[in-house]
């Protein structure tokens, strides 16, 4: 009997959900996820927070950071109580711009960076050993335009630290560039250079790194495509390998890509299509070539963020406009997805993070 109880306890994971809900519903939620069945249950409204779009969790599990897409933008820090049950806000600070949409801690967790979509800049703060933001912000403003109607100015959409923590990369949708900022020994950002120039109108949104290779993958919101590139870890420069559409050839409707993730083994890449309302599945060759295997309906509207379960057996999607989170089985051999029939309703979910 104890073995059965232990198995049930081990199969129950906690899922945090950032939302764009308004009024009394706004803020961060928590769900129970059964990693054996793929079922979601026990919705709990943890804290109220205005436009808490993207969440980032500290490695020790004690803190949660939230980017707040407000005007002006801000970042909030939360801490769990000793039992890990109650989440409380401990600080809120300016993102030095409008519409903060992405945050990340450095590998050593001594720096925190945020991207401001609205004003088109980034900011980096120092973080002490207790996870508290300290010192003055190090803010950088991007400048430029692109050919698309959504590129009338810079729109920083993502910040990612290099694996070694010596560069901060900024993905800017408005200027079709990935910018690389060297990080000095003083914890300050140096002068930026272009890590990768995307094609005009691509509108890059997010990037992710390969788990073991010096390789990066970028999703383009405006051109509905994914790009693979090799990373020069010394210079921070990306060299493009491949670019593929996330859409079926016969689809002519509107679409705006959002999120991108890799399987733990680096063999499969997943990308979300808002409009086509699907997850595109790609195989990734050892050389970084991409092959679109197919698309799977998200069973909802406007899939913003999605995540793979820690064991990679499931993929969960946050559909903002239909207010539902849907769960898919993932075949580890083929990489393909199939709907489990499991879903849960939540107001405007936009970010999913396992604790």
């Amino acid at each position: 009997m104890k073995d059965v109880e232990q198995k049930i306890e081990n199969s129950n994971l906690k899922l945090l959900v950032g939302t764009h809900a308004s009024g009394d519903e706004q803020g961060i939620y928590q769900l129970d996820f059964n990693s054996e069945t793929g079922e979601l249950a026990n919705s709990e409204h943890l804290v109220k927070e205005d436009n808490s779009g993207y969440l980032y969790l500290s490695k020790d599990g004690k803190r949660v950071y939230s980017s707040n897409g407000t005007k002006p933008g801000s970042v909030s820090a939360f801490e769990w109580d000793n039992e890990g049950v109650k989440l409380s806000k401990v600080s809120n600070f300016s993102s030095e711009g409008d519409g903060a949409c992405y945050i990340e801690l450095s590998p050593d967790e001594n720096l925190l960076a945020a991207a401001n979509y609205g004003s088109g800049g980034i900011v980096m703060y120092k973080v002490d050993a207790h996870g508290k933001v300290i010192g003055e912000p190090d803010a950088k403003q991007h400048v430029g335009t692109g050919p698309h109607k959504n590129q009338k100015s810079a729109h920083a959409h993502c910040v990612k630290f290099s694996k070694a923590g010596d560069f901060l990369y900024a993905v800017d949708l408005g200027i079709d560039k990935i910018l690389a900022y060297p990080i000095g020994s003083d914890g300050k950002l140096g002068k930026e250079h272009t890590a990768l120039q995307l094609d005009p109108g691509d509108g890059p949104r997010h990037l992710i790194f390969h788990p073991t290779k010096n390789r990066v993958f970028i999703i383009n919101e405006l051109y509905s495509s994914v790009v693979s590139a090799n990373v020069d870890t010394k210079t921070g420069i990306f060299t493009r390998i491949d670019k593929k559409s996330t859409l079926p050839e016969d689809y002519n409707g509107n679409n705006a890509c959002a999120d991108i993730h890799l399987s733990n083994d680096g063999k499969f890449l997943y990308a979300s299509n808002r409009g086509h309302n699907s997850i595109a599945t790609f195989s990734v060759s050892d050389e970084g070539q991409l092959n679109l295997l197919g698309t799977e309906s998200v069973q909802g509207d406007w899939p913003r963020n999605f995540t793979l379960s820690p064991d990679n057996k499931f993929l969960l999607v946050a559909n903002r406009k239909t207010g539902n989170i849907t769960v898919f089985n993932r075949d580890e051999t083929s990489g393909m997805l199939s709907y489990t029939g499991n879903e849960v309703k939540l107001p405007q979910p936009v970010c999913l993070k396992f604790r």
Side-chain angles (χ1 to χ4, degrees), residues 47 55 93 104 164-165 171 178 197 213 250 268 290 303 307 352:
V47 289
L55 307 178
F93 45 94
E104 182 169 284
V171 183
I178 314 291
Q197 175 69 62
K213 302 177 188 290
D250 59 355
F268 298 98
L290 302 165
T307 189
L352 306 176

Side-chain angles (χ1 to χ4, degrees), residues 28-93:
I28 301 170
Y29 290 73
Q30 182 170 261
L31 295 162
D32 287 337
F33 177 71
N34 188 314
S35 61
E36 296 290 328
T37 66
E39 291 175 289
L40 289 164
N42 302 325
S43 172
E44 180 186 1
H45 190 184
L46 290 173
V47 289
K48 279 186 73 173
E49 188 68 14
D50 192 4
N51 235 3
S52 56
Y54 193 79
L55 307 178
Y56 197 88
L57 283 57
S58 63
K59 291 175 186 174
D60 62 9
K62 293 179 180 178
R63 286 170 296 280
V64 178
Y65 297 90
S66 164
S67 68
N68 305 320
T70 49
K71 186 176 182 178
S74 71
V75 173
S76 295
F78 304 86
E79 281 186 1
W80 293 100
D81 61 10
N82 290 335
E83 289 75 37
V85 174
K86 186 179 179 183
L87 191 65
S88 301
K89 188 194 296 192
V90 292
S91 64
N92 175 267
F93 45 94

